[in-house]
Amino acid sequence: MTKVLRSVVTGVGGYLPDEIVTNTDLAQVVDTSDEWIIERTGIRQRHRAAKDQPVSDLAVEAARMALEAAGKTPADVDLIIVATTTPDLTFPATATIVQRKLGCPVGIAFDVQAVCSGFVYALSTADGFMARGRSKCALVIGAETMTRLMDWTDRGTCVLFGDGAGAVVLEPQEGEGTTADRGLLGFALRADGAKQDLLYVDGGVSTNGQIGHLRMQGNQVFRHAVVNISEAIFAAAADAGVAIDEVDWFIPHQANQRILEGVAKRVGIHESKVVSTVSEHANTSAASIPLAWWTAMQDGRIKPGQMLLLEAMGGGLTWGACVVRL
């Protein structure tokens, strides 16, 4: 049987800022309540970065933990991809800032912008570099300071988001070309720019020169999320050559507990297999999947050799799924 090169996850890390903002805290500044937020979203609290804490700082902390878990140092890293919608600067890429702060050698570093789907898109991108032999040790990071995009008078959106970062280390390893291999096994990536008005930020460098605020048509996003994500999940499973019931853990984008439950039910995944951190972290956009992954590894739920199913949907609209054996 022909050997194949797999991109194997050898380390996972996460970081959450110190400040915790509860629903009760938010009720002091916006017309909402703890009960209202929990009933509609499942969120109880979120973390918020300090004013002097750019998103690269969050990314660096998560990356350090992932490197330690992988038994690697910054000197080993030859590729850094940061998925973020809240970069430190318009340019350079946050990935290059992370490269500098970590003390990594000259290599490849760039950002991916697919909003909440960014981490899945970044994993697929890194997988391509490894398949062509262009990386031996990659850092794939999802990092966000979403609270800085909030309109704090809009209770429908400002209660949903938090800050944080998650990271994985990828290394190439030979596999047998079967579903028993460790590594990234299958992907499905999607985008539909015609749905832009459902979820976007109303500011930009080449439009109004402003940072802008997040705007969302929540009901429409919910409807598209459940249907579209489910299709991508089946497509990623088919690409990997696995059945849904072979999945040990489902790690969805942590947008809303109702969406998590709706997708799991539609694709036939039992709730006991769903990793949910939305109540504690809220929606951290591109950071939500690696943060949930890291959390479930920290508490011992996820173990080596298990098969994971990742999925996300974000502004664009973008969405996608990935199957990986740890």
Side-chain angles (χ1 to χ4, degrees):
M1 185 176 292
T2 304
K3 297 283 187 178
V4 298
L5 203 59
R6 299 289 197 187
S7 302
V8 176
V9 175
T10 57
V12 182
Y15 174 77
L16 291 160
D18 292 337
E19 183 185 1
I20 294 174
V21 181
T22 67
N23 292 345
T24 302
D25 293 332
L26 286 183
Q28 308 304 311
V29 296
V30 66
D31 181 19
T32 191
S33 69
D34 182 52
E35 294 77 15
W36 188 92
I37 297 170
I38 292 174
E39 179 184 348
R40 287 161 178 79
T41 70
I43 297 168
R44 296 180 181 275
Q45 64 177 43
R46 70 284 298 145
H47 290 249
R48 183 162 58 194
K51 289 183 178 180
D52 61 350
Q53 199 173 29
V55 77
S56 62
D57 281 358
L58 279 59
V60 164
E61 293 302 321
R64 283 178 175 148
M65 294 191 68
L67 287 168
E68 182 179 356
K72 296 292 181 180
T73 71
D76 298 310
V77 176
D78 56 21
L79 170 65
I80 302 173
I81 305 177
V82 175
T84 187
T85 233
T86 53
D88 285 18
L89 303 167
T90 300
F91 74 84
T94 300
T96 64
I97 299 173
V98 170
Q99 181 192 43
R100 170 176 59 80
K101 288 182 175 181
L102 283 174
C104 298
V106 172
I108 305 166
F110 59 92
D111 292 353
V112 166
Q113 164 55 310
V115 201
C116 302
S117 308
F119 183 74
V120 176
Y121 269 64
L123 278 179
S124 180
T125 304
D127 186 46
F129 277 87
M130 295 222 152
R132 296 294 297 273
R134 290 175 177 162
S135 174
K136 299 297 183 186
C137 183
L139 271 172
V140 179
I141 306 168
E144 302 283 17
T145 49
M146 293 298 289
T147 60
R148 291 169 185 168
L149 292 177
M150 294 302 103
D151 176 353
W152 295 101
T153 67
D154 180 4
R155 71 171 186 170
T157 59
C158 72
V159 303
L160 301 176
F161 293 88
D163 303 336
V168 300
V169 174
L170 289 179
E171 297 181 66
Q173 292 183 15
E174 277 195 345
E176 299 294 333
T178 73
T179 58
D181 289 348
R182 293 182 65 199
L184 306 178
L185 301 180
F187 286 95
L189 303 179
R190 308 280 189 264
D192 182 1
K195 304 293 192 302
Q196 173 188 319
D197 62 336
L198 301 186
L199 179 55
Y200 65 100
V201 168
D202 61 0
V205 174
S206 65
T207 51
N208 56 15
Q210 298 175 0
I211 294 173
H213 292 123
L214 186 143
R215 306 299 180 193
M216 179 173 68
Q217 298 180 37
N219 290 337
Q220 288 295 313
V221 171
F222 181 94
R223 183 171 66 84
H224 283 281
V226 174
V227 174
N228 292 337
I229 289 171
S230 299
E231 180 276 329
I233 285 172
F234 287 124
D239 187 49
V242 305
I244 297 297
D245 60 10
E246 295 179 67
V247 170
D248 294 296
W249 293 103
F250 177 44
I251 310 179
H253 167 49
Q254 307 291 315
N256 179 309
Q257 187 63 33
R258 291 166 59 204
I259 294 177
L260 270 64
E261 293 170 355
V263 172
K265 182 177 180 180
R266 189 178 181 95
V267 301
I269 296 175
H270 193 270
E271 61 182 12
S272 63
K273 292 185 174 183
V274 180
V275 176
S276 175
T277 58
V278 68
S279 65
E280 303 300 310
H281 302 167
N283 183 347
T284 54
S285 189
S288 75
I289 290 175
L291 265 176
W293 189 344
W294 171 68
T295 300
M297 291 196 69
Q298 293 292 105
D299 63 26
R301 273 179 289 174
I302 294 178
K303 297 175 174 59
Q306 291 185 326
M307 188 176 296
L308 316 179
L309 173 62
L310 322 176
E311 64 79 1
M313 180 172 185
L317 293 176
T318 62
W319 64 98
C322 171
V323 176
V324 54
R325 188 180 293 281
L326 194 57

